[in-house]
Amino acid sequence: MPLRTTASYNAFLAGYFRNHLPDAALRVFQRMPSRDLASYNALISGLSLRRHTLPDAAAALATIPYPPSVVSFTSLLRGYVRHGLLADAIQLFRQMPERNHISYTVLLGGFLDAGRVDEARKLFDEMPAKDVVAWTAMLSGYCQVGRVAEARTLFDEMPKRNVVSWTAMVSGYTQNGQVNLARKLFEVMPERNEVSWTAMLFGYIQAGRIEDAEELFNAMPDHPLAACNAMIVGFGQRGMLDAAKAVFNRMCERDDGTWSAIIKAYEQNEFLMEALSTFREMLHIGIRPNYPSVISILTVCAALAVLDYGRELHGAMLRRSFDMDIFAVSALITMYIKCGNLDKAKRVFDMFEPKDVVMWNSMITGYAQHGLGEEALRIFDDMRLAGMVPNGITYIGALTACSYTGKVKEGRDIFNSVGTNSGIKPGLEHYACMVDLLGRAGLVEEALDLIKTMPVEPDAVIWGALMGACRMHKNAEIAEISAKKLLELEPGNAGPYVLLSHIYTSSGRWEDASKMRKFISSRHLNKSPGCSWIEYNKRVHLFTSGDVLAHPEHAIILKMLEKLDGLLMESGYSADGSFVLHDIDDEQKTHSLRYHSERQAVAYGLLKIPEELPIRVMKNLRVCGDCHSAIKLIAKITSREIILRDANRFHHFKDGFCSCRDYWKHIQDVISTEDEVVTGQIRQLLVEIKYGNSLTFLVT
C-alpha cells in the first residue's frame, strides 16, 4: 500500500485477532505509527477473546490515552461474560460512565447463561431502551429454566417481533415438552426460515414422534444440514435404519455431525461392523472425528472387542484432546476392559484426575469380570478411602467380585452395608448378585430363602441365577421351581428349559431330557445360537459350532484342531460328554465338542496371531465347560496366553491355569449348548458385510 492509514492498521489488527493470531496482532499494534480510539477498542476486544489475556485487556482499557467510549467498556464486559466471570462483569458494568442497549444486553446474557433469571429480569426492566434482541434473550432465558408461561407472557407483550423471536418461542415450547403448543404457534408464524423449521423438527424428534417429524421434514421447502442430521438421529433412535441411510445417501453436503449421526444409528441398532467401516470412510475423506463419533466407536470397539481399532481411536483422542474429557476417558477404559487389556485400562485410569464414580465402577467391574476379585475389592476400598461415595452400580461390581471368587462372607457384609451405610436401597440387581453368590457357593436353599424374603417381586435375572446354581449342583427340584417362574416371566425364552434339560442329562435322566426338548420344540421357544469370533489383521472372523467349513480357511483350521486333539490326548485330556445334551455314544460326543466355536477360534488364533501376543477370543454365550478344560491345557501345551471373553466374564488362560480358578461353572442367563443349534439356522442369522477387500461375518 502506498499509503497506510490508522484505519488500515486497525483492520489488519482486528483481522489477526479474528483469525486467532493474537501474537501477530500485538506486533501490528506495537509498530503502528499512530493509534486512535478504534485501535485501542480493537485491542481490548481481541484480548478479551481468551480468558488468560483478560487482565491484559483490562490493563489496555486503563491505559487508553483518550477518554474510553462505551464501546471500550462493552468490549471488556463481553469478555468477562464470555468466560463466565459474572462478578467482574457486574463490577465493570457499575463503573461504566455510559451505557447503551448493547451493554445492557451483554450483561443480560451473562445473567441468563448463569441461570440467574430473576436478576436478569430486574436488569431487563431497568433498561432505558429495549430492542428485539433483548426481548428475545429474556424470553429464551425463561424457557431455559422451564418458566414457559412467563416466556409466553413476555412474547405477547413484545412491541415488535421478528422471525428469531417467533422461533425462540417455538423452541421454548419444544424444549419443555409442549410440542403441540409449539406446532400451533409454528402454524401462525408470519414467516419462517430454516431455523424455524428445524426447531419444530427437533421438537418432534425429542418427543419421540418420528412419524410427525418425517411428515414435517418432507414438507420443508429446503432440507438444511441440521435438519437432515436430526432426522438421521431420529430414525436411528426408532430403529428405522433404512430411512436413516436414505437421508444420509441423499445429502449433497455432509459435516462431522452427519457422519457421527449415521455412525450412532448403526451403533444403536447393533450394525457394528457398518459403524466401524463408516467411521473409517469418514477418516479417509478427511473428516476429523468429533466427540459423539468417538464415543460411538469406542462402544463398538468394546462390543466387538477389536483392540487394534480401539488403540487407533485412543491415538485420535490424544490428537483431539478428547483424553481430557471424563466421559470419553470412561468409555476408553471400558473399551480396554472389554477387549481384555486390563493393564492398559488401569494405566489410563491411574493417569486421569479427577476420577468420577463411573470410572471407579468401570475398574471394579472390570477386575471382577477378569476373575480378579481381590483386586476389584481393593479398588472398592481405595474408592472409599479417596472420599468417593459408592452408588448402586458400585455395589453391584463389588458383589460380582465376591461372587466370581467365592467370597461369601465378604459378599454378605457388602450386601448388608448397601442399605445401612450408604443409604441406597438394595434393588433387584443387588439381590441377583447375592443369589448368584450363594448359588455358586452351593448354598442353593439359602439363595431360595433370600428370594422368598425379598421386598420386591424377583425378576427373570434372579430366577436365572438360581437356575444356574441348580445346574452346577444338580438340584433338579429347585431347578423345576425356577424354570416354572421363568416361563411365567419370559414365556418365549428357551434358556431355562435348555438348562433344565442339561440338568436331566447330567443326572442320566435321558427320558426327562428328551421330553423337555420336545416341549421346547412344541412351544416354539427361542434360544440364542452360540458363536465365537477373533480379530486378526483388522478383520473379525466368526465361528459357529460344528460349521468349520463356513470359514474360507477351514482346511488349515481342521488340521490344527486335529493336531490339538492329539496333543490333548497325550497330556491326559478326556472329553467331558456331560456337556453334550443328546444321548449319543462317547465318540460322537467327542466329535461334537471338538468343533465348538471357541475351539475353532482358538485354533485360528494359534495359526495367525504372533507368538508374542495373546490370543483374544470373544463368545456371545458362556464358555462350554469341556472347552474351558481343553483351552487350559492348550495354553500350557503351546505356551500361549489365551484370553476368552464370554457372556459372563473373562478367562485368562496361561500355563495350564485360568484366572477364574475354575470357579466358573455357573451362569446368570442362558447356558451355551451349541451342539443343539442346527447349522442351517445359524447361517440364516449371518450376513456378509463388505469390508475393505474382504468379506467379514458377523452375527446381527
Side-chain angles (χ1 to χ4, degrees), residues 504-505 508-515 580-583 589:
Y504 289 148
T505 302
R509 296 166 60 177
W510 297 108
E511 186 178 346
D512 290 334
S514 177
K515 289 179 181 177
V580 180
L581 301 190
H582 297 284
D583 188 11
K589 288 181 179 180

Side-chain angles (χ1 to χ4, degrees), residues 467 476 479-480 483 495-505 513 516:
M467 188 83 178
E480 289 170 350
Y497 291 94
V498 173
L499 189 52
L500 188 56
S501 174
H502 201 154
I503 294 171
Y504 289 148
T505 302
M516 187 56 60

